[in-house]
């Protein structure tokens, strides 16, 4: 089994002491990357929920730079101690509360070097109080607690602060101060010189009129800076001089003269002065001081890193990063730093020039398109032979991601866009298709009208000469279906032909100008080959058979079959209750699967030779995939919301199911329940993995790839028991061993069975039925005669017929 697609930016990363490795929280694991190559070297596996903090034990001597120990905290309620040089777990502390953030001050201070006895190691953790009632809107579910890591227990009765939700803890580089944000307040604690479980920590509060978003401590001076939702940065100097003073006999500073001049400081806050810096037009998301304290780095939604000179306030910039900034992390090597971006990328910077030397790209995270075009947008597309998935990106691009290696291969910019966080989305890439060999790509982009004026649909064809999926543009076609939107795009497996279907009531086939020579770009344009329609109905889906001999196009609720070479309508089959959204051939061309969505969703399997329906289910289908030339196919179905709400505990948060079928049988061959199925995708992968972590190095003829709505994925052998782990739970007994009733029999009951084998000498006697109308509606619904014929036959059966008179 292969898992991947985790977020790299859920929490700040951490550098090793020699700055040669970068530890990144990736789901329930911690991935270790090389800073020189950007490739993953290994992972720390043991947590069973999201890892929220990773802290590298710093070196306290020149030889300590080779130490490779770290602490991690997770929502599973455990704190773990690792040797990440050998990827080995050393210790586990179970606090039994979900941990959202953790700091360990004693690792950063140097006071323990001179102590004769090593004191207990304490961590301050931000946890969720799971005992607080969820029904009370004002319940305080966030707590800042103290944990004794040496004794593997929480400090009894010590709760520093309660908040409405768990907050992120920020610590100073010296380990002397740490704090949290709580709306318009900044709470700062001073760590005592001698730690114990019962020692009382002093605290100050700094106030603001706007909601805080992030803050940072100066490494050497009593300076703290905090950013707010408006883009302002407040800098307090001399904070905590009264409250944190030592030996004055007044720990809370009650007798200090409050009339002194404190410019910019609100009320009775404990600080000498407060200044405001403002450049960011939106909220500040990233804020940190340089290791020498001379500069401050800030970033936000505009995708620009700002470097502030502390003494003068002057600024310089690293622009056009292309995505909102989340974290800036310094390394022990002053010439190296990293920034984490909202598009699931981490960039390694050469300091102080701020030059990007390496990027570590994760899978692109999902985004919500504008509601006006959400119904037009298709999902991700797979290159099944190469084990690559192509995903839409928020910046009008397509990312190609290797499922076997769990890293990005390339990114194609379909339409140019400068990252401007305040601008509305004006272009959406709605459709994407890849040829069978992965050398051609087609995209559809829609430019949204402004105030109901304008709007444009653009069809593009691309080609790639290499395995790295670096596509170049071949042909651009504006308004391929006049002013109608495109519902589907598909390539013909055997020839350079593609089809586009339109809600305007037609479909078009496209061919490449010549059989393209790989090294020549001349005369390689795509042109329209034929146009087809059926009763002016909207064409809602289209696909080719595996051998390319049949083109199937859904005309709303029926399936039309065409000869793609001669553009001749061959047959019309099926009738769905709602418009068909997905078509897929099973095997070569003998069967076809259709899926419709809406108020009456339906999955149907049709036999082309019989032009009839074999069986169907009433399921909300998210994806359909077929296994090569075999009769096996799989679907991703959404569970009914009523079922997930009523059986939430039993399902364990799973809201969907993967079902595999043999086309000749309505009973599923296997069923798995999955999480985050909505917006997911499914495909049989034929490629060969590059790492031996699938079923003892043995692979079947097809691996099943499931990508959930958060773009996390798993590749597993559907015939192996390993699929029961990590979010793909096998359900046995979901379908009863008894023969279930489908279609007509599920409503009216089983029909009487007749013995069709008759002797030739048997005399057949035909007798009129006492109730001839009782058998008029017997049989499958798709084989009944038209209603006009049924009505006349039904009325005639009610009339008494005159007996025939035989003349002598």
């Amino acid at each position: 089994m292969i898992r991947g697609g985790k977020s790299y930016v859920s929490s700040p990363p951490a550098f090793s002491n020699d700055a040669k490795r970068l530890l990144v929280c990736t789901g329930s694991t911690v991935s270790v990357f090389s800073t020189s190559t950007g490739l993953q070297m290994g992972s720390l596996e043991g947590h069973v929920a999201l890892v929220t903090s990773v802290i590298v034990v710093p070196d306290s001597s020149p030889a300590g730079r080779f130490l490779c120990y770290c602490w991690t905290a997770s929502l599973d309620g455990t704190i773990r101690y690792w040797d990440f040089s050998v990827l080995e777990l050393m210790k586990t502390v179970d606090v039994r509360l979900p941990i959202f953030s953790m700091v360990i001050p004693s690792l950063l201070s140097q006071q323990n070097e001179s102590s004769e006895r090593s004191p207990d190691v304490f961590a301050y953790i931000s946890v969720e109080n799971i005992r607080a009632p969820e029904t009370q809107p004002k319940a305080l579910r966030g707590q800042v607690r103290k944990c004794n890591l040496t004794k593997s227990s929480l400090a009894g009765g010590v709760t520093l602060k309660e908040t409405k939700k768990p907050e992120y803890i920020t610590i100073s580089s010296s380990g002397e101060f740490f704090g949290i944000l709580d709306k318009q307040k900044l709470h700062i604690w001073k760590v005592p010189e001698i730690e114990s479980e019962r020692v009382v920590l002093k605290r100050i509060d700094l106030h603001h009129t706007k909601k805080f978003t992030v803050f940072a401590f100066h490494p050497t001076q009593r300076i703290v800076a905090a950013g707010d939702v408006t883009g302002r940065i407040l800098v307090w100097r001399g904070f905590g001089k009264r409250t944190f003073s030592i030996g004055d006999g007044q720990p809370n500073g009650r007798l200090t003269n409050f009339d002194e001049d404190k410019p910019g400081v609100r009320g009775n806050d404990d600080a000498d002065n407060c200044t405001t810096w403002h450049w960011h037009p939106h909220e500040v998301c990233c804020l940190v001081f340089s290791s020498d304290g001379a500069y401050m780095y800030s970033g936000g939604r505009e995708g620009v890193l700002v470097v502030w000179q502390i003494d003068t306030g002057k600024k310089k910039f690293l622009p056009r990063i292309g995505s909102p900034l989340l974290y800036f992390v310094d390394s022990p090597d002053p010439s190296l730093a990293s920034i984490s971006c909202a598009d699931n990328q981490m960039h390694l910077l050469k300091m102080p020039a701020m030059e990007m030397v390496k990027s570590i790209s994760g899978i692109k995270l999902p985004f919500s398109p504008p509601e006006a075009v959400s119904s037009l947008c298709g999902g991700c597309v797979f290159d099944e032979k190469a084990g690559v998935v192509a995903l839409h990106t928020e910046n009008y691009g397509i990312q190609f991601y290797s499922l076997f290696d769990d890293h990005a291969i390339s990114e194609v910019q379909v339409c140019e866009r400068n990252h401007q966080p305040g601008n509305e989305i004006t272009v959406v890439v709605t459709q994407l298709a890849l040829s069978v060999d992965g050398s051609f790509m087609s995209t559809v982009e829609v430019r949204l009208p402004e105030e109901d004026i304008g709007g444009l649909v653009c069809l593009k064809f691309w080609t790639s000469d290499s395995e790295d999926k670096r596509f170049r543009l071949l042909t651009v076609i504006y308004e391929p279906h006049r002013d109608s939107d495109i519902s589907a795009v598909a390539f013909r497996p055997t020839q350079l032909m593609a089809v586009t279907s339109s809600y305007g009531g037609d479909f078009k086939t496209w061919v490449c100008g010549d059989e393209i020579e790989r090294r020549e770009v001349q005369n390689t344009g795509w042109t329209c080959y034929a146009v087809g329609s059926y009763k002016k109905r909207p064409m809602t889906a289209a696909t080719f058979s595996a051998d390319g001999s049949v083109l199937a196009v859904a005309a709303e609720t029926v399936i039309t079959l065409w000869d793609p070479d001669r553009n001749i309508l061959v047959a019309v089959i099926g009738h769905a209750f709602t418009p068909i959204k997905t078509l897929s051939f099973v095997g070569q061309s003998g069967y076809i699967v259709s899926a419709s969505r809406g108020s009456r969703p339906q999955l149907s399997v049709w036999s082309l030779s019989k032009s009839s329906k074999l069986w169907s289910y009433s399921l909300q289908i998210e994806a359909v995939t077929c296994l090569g030339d075999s009769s096996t196919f799989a679907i991703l179905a959404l569970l009914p919301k009523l079922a997930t709400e009523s059986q939430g505990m039993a399902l364990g948060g799973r809201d969907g199911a993967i079902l595999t079928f043999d086309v000749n049988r309505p009973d599923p061959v296997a069923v798995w329940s999955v999480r985050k199925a909505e917006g997911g995708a499914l495909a049989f992968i034929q490629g060969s993995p590059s790492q031996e972590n699938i079923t003892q190095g043995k692979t079947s003829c097809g691996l099943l790839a499931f990508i959930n709505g958060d773009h996390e994925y798993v590749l597993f052998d559907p015939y192996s028991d390993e699929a029961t782990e990590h979010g793909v739970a096998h359900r046995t007994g979901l379908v009863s061993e008894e023969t279930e009733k489908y279609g007509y029999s599920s409503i009216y009951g089983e029909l009487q069975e007749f013995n069709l084998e008759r002797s030739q000498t048997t005399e057949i006697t035909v007798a009129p039925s006492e109730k001839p109308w009782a058998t008029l509606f017997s049989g499958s619904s798709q084989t009944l005669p038209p209603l006009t014929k049924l009505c006349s036959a039904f009325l005639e059966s009610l009339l008494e017929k005159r007996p025939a008179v035989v003349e002598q």
Side-chain angles (χ1 to χ4, degrees), residues 76-336:
D76 63 7
T78 64
I79 301 172
R80 297 174 185 256
Y81 185 61
W82 308 81
D83 182 350
F84 60 86
S85 63
V86 293
L87 308 178
E88 181 180 350
L89 177 63
M90 309 291 288
K91 182 179 182 179
T92 301
V93 179
D94 190 359
V95 300
R96 299 183 180 181
L97 291 172
I99 304 172
F100 285 78
S101 181
M102 176 179 71
V103 295
I104 307 177
S106 60
L107 297 181
L108 301 174
S109 62
Q110 302 299 322
Q111 60 187 5
N112 294 335
E113 293 182 5
S114 58
S115 61
E116 297 179 358
R117 181 180 57 87
S118 178
D120 292 346
V121 178
F122 292 92
Y124 295 90
I125 55 179
S126 175
V127 300
E128 181 182 9
N129 181 14
I130 56 179
R131 300 179 183 86
E134 297 182 1
T135 55
Q136 296 183 7
K138 295 184 179 180
L140 301 177
R141 300 187 62 84
Q143 293 180 340
V144 179
R145 303 284 297 270
K146 191 174 185 178
C147 179
N148 190 327
L149 298 180
T150 304
K151 297 180 179 179
S152 301
S153 63
L154 286 173
V158 179
T159 300
L160 277 68
K161 179 67 179 176
E162 290 187 324
T163 55
K164 189 172 184 180
K165 61 182 181 64
E167 300 291 346
Y168 181 78
I169 304 178
T170 300
I171 191 169
S172 63
S173 59
S174 63
E176 186 179 2
F177 304 102
F178 69 90
I180 63 170
L181 299 174
D182 186 11
K183 298 180 180 178
Q184 294 90 7
K185 294 181 182 180
L186 169 58
H187 306 295
I188 300 177
W189 288 270
K190 185 178 187 299
V191 179
E193 293 185 359
I194 301 177
E195 278 270 39
S196 66
E197 290 195 5
R198 298 294 181 178
V199 68
V200 178
L201 276 70
K202 300 177 182 179
R203 189 189 86 192
I204 66 169
D205 298 336
L206 301 177
H207 299 78
H208 185 36
T209 57
K210 303 296 181 181
K211 183 179 179 180
F212 287 118
T213 55
V214 66
F215 76 103
F217 292 100
H218 193 278
T220 57
Q221 304 178 35
R222 284 201 176 183
I223 299 176
V224 62
D228 67 10
V229 293
T230 66
R232 291 175 173 84
I233 299 175
L234 281 72
V235 181
W236 287 274
R237 298 174 185 269
F239 70 89
K241 283 187 176 180
R242 300 194 312 268
T243 307
F244 298 151
S245 59
I246 301 175
D248 58 358
Q250 303 169 8
N252 293 323
R254 298 295 183 185
L255 302 180
T256 305
N257 182 16
F258 297 149
D259 296 331
E260 59 181 333
D261 186 22
K262 299 185 296 183
V265 179
R266 298 186 60 83
N268 201 27
D269 288 354
D270 188 356
D272 290 345
N273 60 74
C274 179
T275 57
T276 302
W277 294 352
H278 194 187
W279 181 88
H280 298 279
H282 302 278
E283 65 179 275
V284 182
C285 302
C286 164
L287 191 65
V288 68
F289 286 91
S290 61
S291 57
D292 59 1
Y295 299 94
M296 181 176 66
Y297 303 95
S298 65
R301 290 176 52 194
E302 61 282 335
V304 177
L305 180 64
V306 184
V307 184
W308 306 80
Q309 192 173 18
I310 299 299
D311 294 335
T312 64
K314 293 183 178 179
K315 305 177 291 292
K316 64 178 181 178
F317 308 93
L318 176 61
R320 294 185 293 275
I321 297 176
S323 181
L325 305 186
L326 299 180
Y327 313 111
F328 181 97
V329 178
D330 261 330
S331 77
D333 182 356
S335 65
L336 185 65

Side-chain angles (χ1 to χ4, degrees), residues 280-595:
H280 298 279
H282 302 278
E283 65 179 275
V284 182
C285 302
C286 164
L287 191 65
V288 68
F289 286 91
S290 61
S291 57
D292 59 1
Y295 299 94
M296 181 176 66
Y297 303 95
S298 65
R301 290 176 52 194
E302 61 282 335
V304 177
L305 180 64
V306 184
V307 184
W308 306 80
Q309 192 173 18
I310 299 299
D311 294 335
T312 64
K314 293 183 178 179
K315 305 177 291 292
K316 64 178 181 178
F317 308 93
L318 176 61
R320 294 185 293 275
I321 297 176
S323 181
L325 305 186
L326 299 180
Y327 313 111
F328 181 97
V329 178
D330 261 330
S331 77
D333 182 356
S335 65
L336 185 65
S338 78
I339 54 174
S340 302
C341 300
D343 62 352
N344 207 21
Q345 280 195 106
M346 297 180 296
H347 303 286
L348 299 178
L349 302 181
K350 183 180 179 180
M351 304 300 287
M354 294 194 300
E355 176 187 352
M356 289 188 185
V357 294
K358 191 69 64 177
S359 294
I360 301 174
S361 299
I363 198 167
K364 294 298 183 182
L365 302 179
F367 67 96
S368 299
E371 186 176 355
V373 294
S374 59
S375 61
L376 303 176
C377 295
C380 55
V381 176
F382 295 86
D383 184 346
E384 298 177 357
K385 292 185 177 180
V388 173
V389 62
L391 307 109
H392 301 258
T393 66
E394 192 173 7
N395 63 337
Y396 311 157
I398 303 296
Q399 183 195 40
F400 289 90
Y401 198 85
S402 172
L403 298 177
F404 292 127
D405 300 326
D406 194 19
H407 72 78
I409 299 176
S410 66
E411 187 171 341
V412 178
Q413 195 66 39
V414 177
C415 179
E416 293 297 330
R417 178 198 180 190
N418 292 326
H419 177 72
Q420 296 292 336
N423 292 354
E424 296 182 359
I425 296 178
T426 58
V427 179
V428 179
V429 180
T430 58
Q431 297 291 333
L432 168 66
L434 289 174
S435 61
V436 173
D437 61 358
S439 61
F440 288 92
M441 178 177 69
S442 179
T443 59
V444 177
E445 62 187 70
V446 176
R447 295 183 180 271
L448 303 179
E450 297 182 7
E451 298 181 356
D452 297 330
I453 300 176
L456 179 68
V457 179
C458 181
L459 173 66
K460 293 180 179 180
F461 289 95
W462 310 72
T463 185
S464 174
D465 296 334
S466 59
E467 296 182 357
D468 60 0
K469 302 297 180 183
R470 300 194 179 276
F471 284 84
R472 67 174 185 273
L473 184 61
L474 283 181
T475 307
V476 180
I477 303 166
Y478 297 104
E479 299 291 359
H481 293 269
R482 297 178 295 277
D483 55 352
S484 300
D485 291 316
I486 295 176
S487 59
V489 183
F491 280 94
R492 190 175 184 180
T494 55
Q495 296 182 17
L496 293 178
M497 177 182 285
V499 61
T500 57
S501 57
S502 165
Y503 290 106
D506 65 351
F507 70 89
K508 291 184 178 182
T509 54
W510 309 82
V511 294
C512 197
D514 294 321
E515 293 294 325
I516 296 182
E517 297 181 4
R518 300 294 181 182
R519 298 183 180 180
E520 295 185 4
V521 189
Q522 300 177 359
N523 301 323
T524 59
W526 287 72
T527 57
C528 182
Y529 176 73
V531 181
S533 63
Y534 180 76
K535 296 183 178 181
K536 298 182 180 180
R537 292 186 178 184
M539 300 297 188
T540 55
T543 187
F544 286 94
S545 62
D547 59 5
S549 61
V550 181
L551 169 63
V553 184
E556 273 193 313
T557 57
V558 299
I559 303 173
T560 61
L561 304 177
W562 302 76
D563 182 339
D565 294 317
R566 297 183 295 170
N567 198 37
I568 296 176
L569 179 63
V570 177
V572 179
I573 61 173
H575 188 278
F577 297 116
T578 53
I580 297 171
K581 294 296 184 182
T582 303
L583 288 175
S584 182
F585 280 92
V586 182
Q588 286 293 330
S589 58
Y591 304 93
I592 191 169
V593 179
S594 67

Side-chain angles (χ1 to χ4, degrees), residues 717-763:
D717 186 344
Y719 304 101
S720 169
D721 293 336
E722 282 191 343
T724 60
E725 303 175 359
H726 304 283
V728 183
H730 187 259
R731 295 290 183 186
T732 58
L734 185 64
V735 179
S736 174
E737 293 183 0
E738 300 179 0
T739 302
E740 295 197 8
K741 298 179 180 180
Y742 305 94
Y744 180 89
S745 61
S746 66
I747 302 174
Y748 302 104
E750 293 290 347
L751 295 175
Q752 181 181 357
E753 294 185 1
F754 297 94
N755 185 12
L756 298 180
E757 297 180 358
R758 301 177 185 272
S759 175
Q760 295 181 357
T761 60
T762 303
E763 183 180 354

